Amino acid sequence: MKAKLAPILLAAALALTGCSLEQTDDTPAGTVKLVVGYQSKTINTVTAGTLLRAQGYLERRLQKITDNGGAKYQVEWQDYDTGAPITAQMVAEKIDIGSMGDYPLLINGSRTQAGERSRTELVSVTGYNPKGALNMVVVPNDSAATGIGDLAGQKISASVGSAGHGTLVQALSRAGIDPVKGVEVLNQQPQVGATALESRQVGALSQFVAWPGLVVFQNKAKLLYDGAELGVPTFHGVVARRAYAADHPEVLQAFLAAQLDATQFLRDEPFEAAKIVADGSGLPQEVVYLYNGPGGTSFDTTLKPSLISALKGDVAYLKSIGDFADLDIDRFVDDAPLRKAFAETGRTDYDGELASTANPTRVTGADPVCGKAAENPALAGELWLDGAPKPQPAADPTCLLRAVQAAKAQGKTIRAAYVPDTELGTRWFADKSIWLRDGASYLPFTTTAAAQRYRQAHPSAAPITYDQAVTEVRG
C-alpha cells in the first residue's frame, strides 16, 4: 500500500509546492526545461523540427531571455517516426511542444483533453498543400495497378490514424471500395511499410511525406495515387500543452518566433535549407528538395480557415476507425500566441499571410536554355546538375527536357530534375513522371491515371517515355 501511495503523495507534494513533474533530475535547479517532440523524416515539419534544431534559433531566443534577467532554459529534442508517440508523451506530460500531421493533430487534441495539464492547443502550421499532395500511395514498379481502384482485395501498408492512412481511406471510398472490408490495411511504421512493399508483402504503401518520394527516388516503387486528386487541404502543425504554455508563456513565444525564423530561412535559402535538413534527417537531399524546394510544400505558419475547415472534415474519418473522442476544434485552435510572435518579430501582416493562398516560394529566374523567364508556377521546373551551386530554372516542361538533353550532351551528371504535374500541379521528379506529347508540347503527370484523364479529353496526345522525350525534344 505504501509503495502504491508514494507516487501519489509525491505528485501531491509537488503540486502544493508549485513544482511539477516536468522538472527532472538532470535539470539544474532554477532551470526551465522544454521537451520538443518532432519527426526528422517528416520534412513538412522541418521549421518546427529538423531545420529549427540545426539552426539553433530556439536556443538563441531563449538565451536572450536569460541574458535579459530571465530564467535559464534547457531544450531537449526527441525524434519520432510518426505523431502517435509524441501524443502519447504529451498525454503523459513528458513532451511540451510537438509537431505532426493533420489527422494526428486531431487525435492529439482528442486524447490530451482528458487531463488539465495534458490538454493541448494547435498554435501554428508548419507546411501545407491546398490539394492534399503531401500524402500518396505507391506500388511496386512491376505492379499492374494503374489506379486506386485496382487495389481492391490487396494488402496495403499504412500508419493507422496518420494523414497517409486518411488519404487512403478517402481515396478508396471515392473509388467505391470499402476501406475496411475491401482491402486489408496493415498498421505499420513508414520504414517497416517501405520494407514490406519492397519484399512484396504488401501490394501498396500509403504514407505521408517524405516516404512516397523517397521510395520512388530509390527506384523501389512507382506512384499510383497522388493525394492532390482529393482536392482537400492537408497540413502539418504545432501543438503545445496549455498548462506548460500558461506556466512558461515566454517559452512558447520564443518557440513560435524561432519557427518564424526557420520559415523565413527556408523561404530565402531553400537549397541550403534542404542540405541542412538532409544532413539532419539522413534523407537524400534530392528528396528533401522535392518537398522543401520552390513550388513544393507551402511553408506558412498561419492557421488558415481553409485548413481548419479541412480539419473539421477529417473528424468523420477518425470516428470511422474508432480513434476519436469529440473535440471542440474551435477551442483547440488558438492563433493568439502566433499573432503575438508575428508582432514581436516585426512581422506586421499576419492577416495578409492568413488570407494568402499562394505558395510563398516558387521557381524564378532566367531559363538559361530557352532564354526566357521562369514565371508561371504551373509550368516552371528545375534542373539540378552535380557541382552546381543551386538548381537552374526551367520555364516549362519542354524547356526542362531541353536542359536535360543539353546537360547529357555535355557529359554533366544530373542530380535531379523537378517538374509540376500538368493536371494537379504537384511538384515531382521529371524522370519518374508519366509523359505525353501533345503537338510540340511535352506534358508530365504524377500518375498513369492522371495521364489517362488528359488523353480522354485530348485524344491527340500520345504516350512517350521520359528518355524518349529527352532524346527527341527540339528547341
Side-chain angles (χ1 to χ4, degrees):
M1 178 65 71
K2 289 182 180 180
K4 291 181 179 179
L5 282 175
I8 299 173
L9 293 174
L10 173 61
L14 288 170
L16 289 172
T17 58
C19 299
S20 79
L21 292 173
E22 294 161 3
Q23 188 79 17
T24 59
D25 293 339
D26 62 347
T27 306
T31 297
V32 175
K33 184 173 183 178
L34 169 65
V35 183
V36 180
Y38 75 111
Q39 303 168 64
S40 64
K41 289 182 171 57
T42 305
I43 55 179
N44 277 354
T45 64
V46 297
T47 54
T50 308
L51 182 62
L52 178 63
R53 180 181 185 181
Q55 294 295 90
Y57 292 128
L58 174 58
E59 288 80 0
R60 287 201 292 274
R61 286 197 171 272
L62 290 173
Q63 186 60 47
K64 285 184 179 179
I65 297 175
T66 302
D67 293 343
N68 289 329
K72 293 182 179 180
Y73 299 92
Q74 177 181 316
V75 181
E76 179 181 323
W77 297 85
Q78 295 184 4
D79 188 7
Y80 297 91
D81 292 321
T82 64
I86 296 176
T87 290
Q89 291 292 81
M90 296 188 89
V91 169
E93 302 171 30
K94 294 182 179 180
I95 285 180
D96 308 305
I97 297 176
S99 56
M100 59 194 72
D102 41 16
Y103 291 98
L105 285 169
L106 280 173
I107 294 175
N108 180 284
S110 173
R111 291 186 177 175
T112 60
Q113 67 177 329
E116 193 56 39
R117 294 199 62 80
S118 65
R119 186 187 302 268
T120 60
E121 58 187 357
L122 176 60
V123 294
S124 71
V125 169
T126 55
Y128 77 96
N129 183 280
K131 295 182 179 179
L134 305 180
N135 309 307
M136 295 175 166
V137 181
V138 296
V139 294
N141 287 315
D142 60 358
S143 173
T146 59
I148 196 74
D150 295 328
L151 296 183
Q154 295 196 37
K155 291 182 179 180
I156 304 173
S157 175
S159 301
V160 173
S162 72
H165 181 226
T167 291
L168 175 66
V169 169
Q170 292 189 60
L172 290 172
S173 297
R174 289 194 184 186
I177 300 173
D178 187 322
V180 176
K181 300 178 181 179
V183 296
E184 181 181 351
V185 176
L186 302 186
N187 185 14
Q188 297 176 325
Q189 293 283 69
Q191 67 272 30
V192 175
T195 300
L197 183 73
E198 187 178 5
S199 61
R200 302 298 194 277
Q201 296 176 36
V202 295
L205 170 71
S206 184
Q207 280 294 353
F208 48 83
V209 295
W211 292 97
L214 175 62
V215 294
V216 170
F217 176 75
Q218 294 173 331
N219 295 316
K220 295 178 179 178
K222 63 182 179 181
L223 186 60
L224 177 74
Y225 186 83
D226 182 345
E229 288 191 35
L230 292 175
V232 178
T234 185
F235 71 98
H236 290 69
V238 176
V239 282
R241 287 198 299 111
R242 289 179 183 268
Y244 183 89
D247 291 342
H248 310 293
E250 79 286 0
V251 176
L252 177 58
Q253 292 306 139
F255 184 93
L256 292 173
Q259 185 192 345
L260 290 172
D261 295 337
T263 301
Q264 192 61 53
F265 177 74
L266 187 148
R267 291 180 181 181
D268 293 341
E269 303 291 343
F271 193 57
E272 182 181 348
K275 184 180 186 307
I276 293 170
V277 172
D279 291 342
S281 66
L283 292 167
Q285 188 176 348
E286 294 89 341
V287 175
V288 176
Y289 193 65
L290 169 70
Y291 298 107
N292 287 185
T297 299
S298 291
F299 283 93
D300 182 331
T301 60
T302 60
L303 291 154
K304 300 183 184 301
S306 61
L307 302 182
I308 305 309
S309 177
L311 201 63
K312 293 177 179 179
D314 294 338
V315 170
Y317 151 72
L318 289 171
K319 286 186 174 180
S320 74
I321 63 173
D323 207 4
F324 189 77
D326 285 333
L327 174 67
D328 185 340
I329 294 176
D330 290 325
R331 185 168 180 265
F332 175 54
V333 178
D334 184 6
D335 70 353
L338 183 59
R339 286 179 178 273
K340 184 177 179 180
F342 260 70
E344 290 179 346
T345 56
R347 297 169 173 87
T348 59
D349 195 19
Y350 179 88
D351 288 319
E353 287 204 29
L354 182 70
S356 175
T357 57
N359 193 322
T361 62
R362 61 186 181 89
V363 178
T364 59
D367 182 328
V369 175
C370 285
K372 56 183 178 180
E375 55 188 10
N376 187 341
L379 298 174
E382 290 185 293
L383 176 63
W384 177 8
L385 299 176
D386 192 32
K390 62 180 181 179
Q392 68 185 48
D396 56 47
T398 303
C399 288
L400 179 66
L401 292 174
R402 287 182 59 195
V404 172
Q405 184 189 73
K408 288 188 173 184
Q410 297 168 17
K412 296 181 179 179
T413 300
I414 296 172
R415 291 284 296 271
Y418 307 97
V419 66
D421 171 272
T422 301
E423 179 190 45
L424 302 169
T426 303
R427 177 174 161 98
W428 197 238
F429 297 112
D431 63 326
K432 307 301 183 186
S433 297
I434 308 300
W435 287 83
L436 298 178
R437 182 181 60 230
D438 193 357
S441 298
Y442 293 84
L443 309 174
F445 298 85
T446 53
T447 65
T448 298
Q452 289 174 342
R453 285 193 294 271
Y454 183 89
R455 291 190 70 196
Q456 288 174 356
H458 305 82
S460 62
I464 186 171
T465 69
Y466 171 72
D467 290 335
Q468 288 173 335
V470 170
T471 299
E472 71 172 42
V473 68
R474 295 290 184 268

